[in-house]
């Protein structure tokens, strides 16, 4: 149904009620089939005068989107800098997905500096039937932060951060807790600087410094230490959001609790435009640390034995709140460990790897490996670029784009994702039952079979099995697929190529399709151990078939009802988001009911 004035809606409703039921059904289907959003050059597109009116209402912050030139001598340098990409309303952090989407600039952008700017843009889009896109850090692998011929609401200007020693949500009688309020335009590098480096507290956020705060929380959100502190969404105490009716609402567990719950893992860009979040902060552990280790097996048989030894070792020593991040298997029989720990001194952390290190050392003909590298530092310095630049300069990259702030850095290991064109990306929760001694063989066989096709990553911080009861309870009260609570890891298998933005050379399609086939063969092999595994909605296959169940499990029905209540006309549409099932793939045409 199109959005119009209340009078028009009442008149239409009265006319429909006067018709026989069969005629009403016929008209509803016909209207839904032809309902299309406006595009430039059509009669429905706003006039120059109407655009000027919006520009005045948002204080001159409406601009046409002009993508940067990508053929200059420094283009490659800037496209390797995620902060530069984040500063360009015509770019996205991923450049596309094979046979799925291609990064395409919006027609116009409102760079919001206050919630009222967002409200004006939302009301304008609803009135003129525009395709509306919401963008924070622009990290959506699914292309959710871009669409051609759209109006872009860009939250980059909402950058305020306020620390609270004792915060109580509006309308709540809950005991006050330490918290931080964050504008939706903040990146996690901003929040870690304010909360951890400067204030000595911990906030559960993302592992990548350039990810947007609001998008991560609405997706559920994992950081390196999620087993210790839970989902990012589990720490959400309150949110300010502009809903499809253009109203600015403050929601929490006491005020509009259903909408608040939907924001905790129901997916970004779906229920409205979040403009501010308040997150609980936690006591900071004394130490954070890393373990780095690569083991090369001399044969397939030795590699399978290594996987079996690792699985048993993980179940006995590492399945607890202290450990996170990942291990990777490679097709050349390498096991690569890149894990982190919190709250342990370096000797205790090193001792946690002794059994596996002894297994490797006892078999010098089967394995080539140095001793594991185990390092720790005071937790307050974990995100401090001055300290990292002095003691671990190879770990970070500093932005030197025009206008760069001194603290703008990203982890060197995340650089390969900047501008990535995805050939395939898949994920699956691995249930903790696979760590039982009688079931470890099934997991090892599947993992080894998958490793024959492609690199396989187990992200232990993206499964909450092993977390404390309190952490599990807080994360259970979110919209995430409940499988996350009983998963010891999220398996991710993915492949990508160089940036392929419009105007640049396209991807090698033959190579991309070959990679995609191999990625999916690897995931098919792995899922023989967990055939019913869902995937993380922010890091899953663009072409997931049963995506509602995969992303949300039994929470789908409740989320769909909340979506219908707050956005009945489908103003907010993202690929495989709640409510998108009623729209064409490009979000411009409403589908006729089945």
């Amino acid at each position: 149904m199109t959005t119009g004035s209340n009078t028009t809606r009442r008149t239409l409703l009265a006319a429909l009620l006067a018709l026989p039921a069969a005629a009403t059904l016929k008209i509803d289907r016909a209207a839904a089939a032809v309902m299309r959003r406006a595009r430039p050059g059509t009669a429905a597109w706003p006039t120059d005068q109407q655009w000027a009116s919006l520009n005045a209402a948002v204080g001159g912050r409406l601009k046409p989107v002009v993508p940067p030139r990508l053929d200059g001598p420094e283009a490659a340098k800037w496209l390797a800098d995620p902060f530069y990409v984040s500063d360009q309303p015509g770019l996205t952090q991923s450049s596309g997905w094979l046979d799925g989407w291609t990064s395409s600039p919006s027609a116009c952008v409102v760079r919001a500096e206050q919630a009222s700017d967002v409200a004006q843009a939302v009301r304008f889009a609803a009135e003129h039937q525009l395709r509306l896109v919401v963008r924070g850090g622009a990290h959506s692998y699914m292309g959710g932060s871009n669409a051609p011929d759209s109006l872009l609401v860009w939250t980059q200007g909402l950058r305020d951060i306020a620390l609270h020693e004792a915060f109580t949500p509006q309308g709540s009688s809950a005991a006050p807790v330490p918290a931080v309020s964050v504008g939706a335009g903040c990146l996690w590098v901003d929040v870690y600087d304010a909360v951890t480096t400067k204030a000595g507290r911990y906030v559960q956020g993302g592992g990548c410094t350039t990810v947007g705060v609001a998008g991560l929380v609405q997706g559920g959100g994992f950081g390196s230490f999620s087993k210790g502190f839970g989902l990012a969404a589990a720490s959400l105490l309150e949110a300010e959001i502009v809903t499809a009716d253009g109203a600015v609402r403050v929601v929490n567990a006491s005020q509009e609790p259903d909408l608040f719950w939907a924001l905790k893992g129901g997916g970004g860009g779906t229920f409205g435009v979040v403009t501010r979040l308040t997150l609980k902060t936690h006591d900071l552990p004394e130490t954070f640390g890393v373990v780095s280790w690569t083991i090369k097996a001399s044969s397939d048989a030795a590699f399978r034995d290594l996987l079996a030894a690792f699985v048993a070792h993980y179940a006995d020593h590492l399945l607890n709140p202290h450990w996170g991040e990942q291990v990777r298997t490679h097709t050349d029989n390498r096991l690569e460990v890149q894990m982190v720990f919190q709250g342990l001194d370096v000797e205790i952390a090193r001792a946690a790897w002794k059994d596996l290190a002894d297994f490797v050392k006892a078999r010098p003909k089967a394995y080539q490996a140095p001793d594991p590298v185990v390092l720790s530092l005071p937790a307050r310095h974990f995100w401090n670029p001055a300290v990292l630049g002095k003691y671990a300069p190879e770990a970070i990259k500093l932005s030197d784009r025009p206008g760069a702030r001194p603290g703008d850095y990203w982890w060197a290991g995340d650089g390969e994702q900047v501008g990535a064109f995805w050939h395939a990306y898949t994920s699956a929760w691995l249930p903790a039952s696979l760590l039982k001694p009688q079931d470890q063989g099934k997991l090892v066989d599947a993992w080894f079979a998958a490793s024959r096709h492609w690199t396989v990553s187990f992200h232990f911080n993206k499964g909450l099995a092993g977390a404390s009861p309190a952490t599990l309870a807080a994360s259970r009260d979110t919209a995430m697929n409940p499988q996350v609570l009983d998963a010891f890891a999220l398996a991710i298998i993915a492949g990508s190529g160089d940036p392929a933005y419009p105007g640049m050379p396209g991807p090698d399609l033959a190579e991309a399709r070959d990679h995609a086939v191999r990625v999916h063969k690897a995931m098919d092999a792995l899922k023989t151990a967990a055939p019913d595994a869902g995937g993380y909605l922010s890091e899953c296959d663009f072409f997931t078939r049963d995506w509602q169940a995969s992303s949300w499990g039994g929470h789908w029905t409740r989320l769909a009802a909340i979506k219908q209540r707050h956005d009945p006309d489908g103003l907010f549409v993202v690929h495989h988001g709640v409510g998108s099932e009623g729209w064409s793939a490009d979000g411009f045409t409403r589908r006729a009911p089945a």
Side-chain angles (χ1 to χ4, degrees):
M1 181 179 291
T2 58
T3 303
S5 68
N6 291 334
T7 301
T8 301
R9 194 175 289 119
R10 286 196 297 269
T11 302
L12 177 60
L13 182 59
L16 290 176
L17 290 174
L19 295 173
T24 302
L25 181 61
K26 182 177 180 180
I27 289 175
D28 280 346
R29 285 182 172 175
V34 300
M35 193 295 200
R36 292 185 176 88
R37 302 198 191 278
R39 288 187 185 269
T42 65
W45 190 252
T47 66
D48 290 346
Q49 184 177 0
Q50 289 167 331
W51 282 114
S53 177
L54 174 61
N55 189 38
V58 298
R61 290 183 279 277
L62 172 69
K63 305 289 183 184
V65 177
V66 180
R69 288 192 58 182
L70 302 179
D71 58 354
E74 292 193 307
K77 173 185 176 180
W78 299 132
L79 289 181
D81 184 336
F83 289 94
Y84 173 83
V85 174
S86 184
D87 286 344
Q88 307 303 316
L91 297 179
T92 46
Q93 293 289 349
S94 294
S95 59
W97 192 302
L98 178 66
D99 298 326
W101 66 277
T102 301
S103 184
S104 302
S106 297
C108 302
V109 57
V110 172
R111 185 183 182 277
E113 292 188 359
Q114 51 201 14
S116 60
D117 294 339
V118 175
Q120 291 286 353
V122 166
R123 288 193 287 267
F124 187 85
E127 178 182 355
H128 295 283
Q129 290 296 338
L130 301 180
R131 178 81 162 88
L132 187 67
V133 174
V134 184
R135 170 182 165 153
H139 269 267
S140 172
Y141 293 160
M142 302 292 175
S145 52
N146 87 126
D149 299 340
S150 63
L151 173 61
L152 175 63
V153 175
W154 191 17
T155 60
Q156 189 193 44
L158 302 169
R159 302 293 282 265
D160 290 344
I161 297 177
L163 293 162
H164 311 281
E165 291 186 5
F167 179 85
T168 300
Q170 288 186 20
S172 172
S173 59
V177 296
V180 60
S181 292
V182 181
C186 289
L187 306 178
W188 282 107
V189 68
D190 305 318
V191 184
Y192 291 138
D193 177 64
V195 175
T196 300
T197 303
K198 293 177 179 173
R201 300 282 297 171
Y202 180 77
V203 59
Q204 182 58 67
C208 179
T209 62
T210 60
V211 166
V213 173
L216 181 104
V217 171
Q218 290 174 85
F222 297 98
S224 297
F225 306 108
S226 296
K227 264 191 173 57
F229 300 94
L231 301 170
S235 290
L236 185 63
L237 299 173
E238 185 170 274
E240 180 183 79
I241 180 173
V242 178
T243 45
D245 56 1
V248 181
R249 305 172 187 273
V250 175
V251 300
N252 52 52
S254 299
Q255 295 181 174
E256 303 201 53
D258 269 1
L259 179 56
F260 176 67
W261 175 82
L263 298 181
K264 298 194 295 180
T270 294
F271 298 95
V273 186
V274 171
T275 53
R276 186 181 70 246
L277 308 94
T278 300
L279 300 162
K280 179 181 178 180
T281 64
H282 307 267
D283 291 337
L284 187 66
E286 288 189 14
T287 59
F288 288 150
V290 298
V291 174
S292 179
W293 194 22
T294 299
I295 308 165
K296 179 71 165 63
S298 60
S299 67
D300 288 357
F303 190 59
R304 191 206 174 281
D305 290 345
L306 176 63
L307 298 186
F310 178 85
V311 168
H313 182 84
Y314 179 84
D316 291 342
H317 299 286
L318 306 176
L319 183 64
N320 59 60
H322 296 289
W323 293 93
E325 282 302 337
Q326 60 184 285
V327 300
R328 296 181 181 182
T329 55
H330 299 275
T331 56
D332 62 354
N333 292 336
R334 276 182 300 129
L335 177 68
E336 179 186 2
V337 177
Q338 293 291 337
M339 293 189 67
V340 297
F341 58 90
Q342 58 89 12
L344 302 175
D345 68 40
V346 71
E347 293 305 320
I348 293 176
R350 186 176 288 112
W353 291 88
K354 183 178 184 303
D355 288 355
L356 188 60
D358 288 347
F359 172 88
V360 171
K361 284 183 178 181
R363 296 160 176 82
K365 293 183 179 180
Y367 306 111
Q368 296 177 2
D371 291 334
V373 175
V374 183
L375 303 171
S376 70
L377 76 168
R380 192 161 185 164
H381 296 318
F382 192 77
W383 288 284
N384 186 335
V387 173
L388 295 172
K390 182 176 181 179
Y391 295 103
E394 72 287 349
I396 65 171
K397 297 286 187 180
L398 290 170
S399 176
D400 62 353
R401 75 197 189 284
R405 301 170 300 174
D408 287 347
Y409 76 93
W410 67 96
W411 299 113
D414 291 330
E416 63 186 20
Q417 298 186 49
V418 184
F421 182 86
W422 295 104
H423 302 162
Y425 200 114
T426 62
S427 68
W429 306 116
L430 299 178
S433 60
L434 291 173
L435 297 179
K436 294 179 179 178
Q438 65 270 26
D439 290 323
Q440 288 181 11
K442 180 168 63 174
L443 172 62
V444 171
D445 287 343
W447 193 6
F448 176 78
S451 74
R452 302 304 83 191
H453 300 286
W454 200 255
T455 297
V456 180
S457 300
F458 282 9
H459 294 249
F460 302 108
N461 54 302
K462 297 181 180 180
L464 298 184
S468 70
T471 296
L472 290 171
S475 296
R476 185 174 290 112
D477 187 25
T478 70
M480 285 285 288
N481 187 332
Q483 287 187 10
V484 67
L485 302 171
D486 190 46
F488 74 89
L490 180 74
I492 294 179
I493 309 176
S496 65
D498 293 335
Y501 295 104
M504 298 182 68
D508 181 332
L509 293 179
E511 178 186 65
R513 296 193 194 287
D514 174 66
H515 291 177
V517 167
R518 293 166 65 189
V519 165
H520 286 105
K521 282 184 177 179
M523 182 54 77
D524 288 344
L526 184 64
K527 289 186 74 171
T528 60
D532 299 322
Y536 176 31
L537 69 97
S538 295
E539 296 180 322
C540 67
D541 190 348
F542 186 90
F543 302 103
T544 302
R545 291 180 181 177
D546 191 10
W547 52 271
Q548 296 95 331
S550 178
S551 292
W552 295 287
H555 290 154
W556 165 257
T557 301
R558 183 181 175 189
L559 286 167
I562 296 168
K563 173 70 171 178
Q564 179 61 28
R565 184 158 63 250
H566 288 280
D567 186 17
D569 296 326
L571 181 63
F572 300 105
V573 177
V574 295
H575 178 72
H576 285 182
V578 180
S580 66
E581 66 279 3
W583 290 85
S584 60
D586 64 4
F588 274 85
T589 305
R590 195 159 203 167
R591 295 189 177 113

